[in-house]
Amino acid sequence: MLLHAIFCLILSVLLFPNSSAISSPIRPYTSYRYSTELQNNVADLWWSVNDTTQEIIFELHMKTTGWIALGISPAGGMKGADIGLGWVDQAGQVHFQDRYAKNYTRPIVDTTTSDWFGLQGREENGWTAIQFKRLLDTCDTMDVPIKSGTNILIFAYGLEDPDMSEPQGIIYYHDHRRGSRIIPLRSYGNPSPENKFAGLDYFDFQLNNYNVPVDSTTYHCKVYKVPSNLTKRRHAIAHKTIIGEGNVDIVHHLLMYECNPTAVFDDNNLPDGLCDVIYRQLTECSANIATGWAVGGDHIVEFPEIAGYPVGGDFEIKYYMIQMHYDNPKQLSNRRDNSGIRFYLGNELRQEELGYLTVGADSTPVGIAIPPRSDRFSIDSYCTASATKAFPKSGITVTTAFPHTHLQGRSVWTKIIRNGTAVDYLFNGDAYDFNYQFENRLPKPVKLYPGDELATRCVYSTMDKSQMTTGGERTQDEMCLHMFTYYPRMKNMYGCMMIIPDGIWAQKMNISQESFDYVKLKQWLSDLQWTPQSVSQWQEFYNDASRILFSGIAGNFTIDFLPKLPTYKDLQPAECKSDARPNAAVHQHAFSTFTLIPFFIIFVMNMFARK
């Protein structure tokens, strides 16, 4: 009996790892890398991605004994969606179909190729569970590629199986039995439930009943000192973003900055106010981005088991600044907020310590100026070998990526350049959505070495704008930031940021450099008139303009002048390989976990044999 219990425990650990907020009573068929609840007590989803075979396997559970469906939508909603739809008939037979939604009508069976493959399924306790798979990119015009970055999922279910009076079956309208979810399928953070950290020490950097101004955009900055009870160095193993009750509609993002070790403040009167008003007090705290959260992202972020975020004791950072961005377009009044961030502290120090690296363009008009009515405008930046020479000889290991733009952003990527050749993406946020900004866990940690270079591109669409969009902090302004978590931590390297030099702007404005200032630049930019030809010429200007690169740490930046952005041999465009279409008859993934079980049984039996 004891051996049987141990075997069941091993099986449970192998097949059913801890999943956050899962309500299905049915055990999944195998272990998966990712899982999430799509709708409470209605729909749960598990999935894994195989980058070698470029294949994704799903398992969908829904509270019905009728048909169930999961779709990939190009822009939200049914129109143009690529849908896998299945059911289990009364004989226990699994049926699965590849369907396509031409419009907001009943999706048709794909008339090109069948690219969704049902593997197995069952009904139990009023729920239906079906496992199925497809390629990330099927090369089918009636399918939607599953790109790196955010993906739009739609799901629905019926109360009955399809009417089989026609060969392909008739599915009846799902009515309100539908939903959607935006999630990075290929880099989901898989947040742990908060109860995993119950009993651990923690501390909060949190506002106290802050009266949010009625302005449409507010940036509030507050400096915090590390808690006095942390007399010894500790490692945070996770953090939780705290959004004040009832304020999810106005809290846009939160950034935490590390103040320079040289920062000195009056601990009884720490800076606290509108960022633009107290900016002179924040010079030691305004450039070294640590962590953050933005609208739509997960509230719990757990660090890799090998590394922790150092705080307290002999750790050199003593002060931190939290920058809160409130987006209040309706200019609501009498809103009080207690948002902030909580750090959970591990009981032991971990092997490595985490740091944060940010690359991109400076969030000012000299860094970002995007013309209106452009479907695809690119802003490039570059972190050179002279900047990355600060990396340790053994390299750094990057674990997560957090791309950030505002409303006009469509994609953000960073490539690794070695010896003038792009070798891979550090992270490719090909599909970016301002309303759903995730900290993406890299499928595999990536090593960077001294001399590596990083090329970053932010792509914007301004088809809905009639005037220039410049870099800035307001929601209607733009940003181009790509933030990475890595280990081991570096003391004097927080990132690389680029601007176009004042002299280049003065030349463009046809004024002397001595008379140039930001106010004149913003006015000149807003007065420009645009045609398709001038938009194209502006892209050429951005591609060819000189740059100034700031790298290192606030207050001690290294400044380099680049006459032109470096060129490199780019990655070859990925080719769609339709001949790699999965074989529905073979499901290797399902067997991979079970093949481990005999080894555990042998191990346990040998252990008991020694008794």
Side-chain angles (χ1 to χ4, degrees), residues 417-433:
I417 315 299
R418 288 187 181 138
N419 301 316
T421 300
V423 296
D424 205 348
Y425 285 100
L426 181 52
F427 182 72
N428 181 14
D430 190 20
Y432 174 84
D433 190 306

Side-chain angles (χ1 to χ4, degrees), residues 408-420:
Q408 313 307 136
R410 295 297 179 268
S411 71
V412 180
W413 54 249
T414 295
K415 293 175 182 175
I416 305 168
I417 315 299
R418 288 187 181 138
N419 301 316

Side-chain angles (χ1 to χ4, degrees), residues 25 39 43 84 106 111 114 163 171 176 210 248 281 295 325 328 335 358 369 378 413 426-427 431 436 544 561 598 606:
Q39 185 176 338
R106 181 183 296 124
T111 57
S114 182
D163 181 349
I171 55 173
H176 64 279
Y210 174 61
V248 68
Q281 303 175 55
V295 59
H325 176 192
N328 187 11
R335 299 295 289 269
T358 301
S378 300
W413 54 249
L426 181 52
F427 182 72
Y436 295 88
D544 297 335
F561 175 78
N606 286 339

Side-chain angles (χ1 to χ4, degrees), residues 55 57 117-119 131 133 582-591:
E55 183 179 275
I57 180 169
F117 296 94
L119 300 168
Q131 186 188 60
K133 64 179 179 178
N583 181 352
V586 179
H587 179 30
Q588 183 66 36
H589 184 89
F591 299 124

Side-chain angles (χ1 to χ4, degrees), residues 29 86 126 182 187-188 223 255 350 362 373 381 407 413 478 481 492 509 608:
Y29 282 104
I182 296 183
S187 54
Y188 186 45
V223 172
L255 284 178
R350 292 184 166 183
D362 192 47
R373 296 186 290 275
S381 56
L407 291 166
W413 54 249
E478 266 307 335
L481 300 174
N492 297 313
M509 297 165 64
F608 275 86

Side-chain angles (χ1 to χ4, degrees), residues 271-454:
D272 181 2
L274 297 178
C275 303
D276 288 343
V277 174
I278 64 171
Y279 71 94
R280 286 190 175 88
Q281 303 175 55
L282 305 175
T283 54
E284 295 268 23
C285 306
S286 58
N288 306 327
I289 297 176
T291 190
W293 172 91
V295 59
D298 293 313
H299 291 258
I300 297 282
V301 172
E302 185 175 7
F303 301 138
E305 292 185 359
I306 194 174
Y309 181 65
V311 291
D314 60 356
F315 182 53
E316 63 269 17
I317 306 299
K318 304 302 180 184
Y319 295 95
Y320 303 82
M321 183 184 76
I322 301 292
Q323 179 198 77
M324 295 293 306
H325 176 192
Y326 295 98
D327 184 29
N328 187 11
K330 297 180 181 179
Q331 298 185 310
L332 303 172
S333 60
N334 300 318
R335 299 295 289 269
R336 297 279 179 170
D337 188 48
N338 298 293
S339 296
I341 189 168
R342 171 173 295 173
F343 285 92
Y344 290 100
L345 303 175
N347 293 320
E348 298 177 353
L349 294 179
R350 292 184 166 183
Q351 179 179 337
E352 302 285 357
E353 294 192 331
L354 291 169
Y356 295 90
L357 185 73
T358 301
V359 296
D362 192 47
S363 302
T364 59
V366 294
I368 300 174
I370 310 165
R373 296 186 290 275
S374 174
D375 182 54
R376 186 177 177 85
F377 190 86
S378 300
I379 290 183
D380 293 321
S381 56
Y382 206 86
C383 193
T384 62
S386 64
T388 65
K389 68 183 181 183
F391 290 5
K393 290 183 179 180
S394 58
I396 62 173
T397 300
V398 180
T399 60
T400 69
F402 180 58
H404 179 65
T405 75
H406 284 180
L407 291 166
Q408 313 307 136
R410 295 297 179 268
S411 71
V412 180
W413 54 249
T414 295
K415 293 175 182 175
I416 305 168
I417 315 299
R418 288 187 181 138
N419 301 316
T421 300
V423 296
D424 205 348
Y425 285 100
L426 181 52
F427 182 72
N428 181 14
D430 190 20
Y432 174 84
D433 190 306
F434 166 79
N435 293 303
Y436 295 88
Q437 300 185 45
F438 291 90
E439 182 163 333
N440 296 268
R441 182 179 297 177
L442 303 188
K444 294 180 180 178
V446 176
K447 289 282 286 189
L448 297 177
Y449 297 95
D452 282 351
E453 298 182 309
L454 302 174

Side-chain angles (χ1 to χ4, degrees), residues 32-36 45-49 185-188 190:
Y32 296 90
R33 176 160 188 169
Y34 309 108
S35 64
T36 192
L45 183 69
W46 291 259
W47 73 99
S48 293
V49 178
L185 287 171
R186 298 170 66 171
S187 54
Y188 186 45
N190 230 34

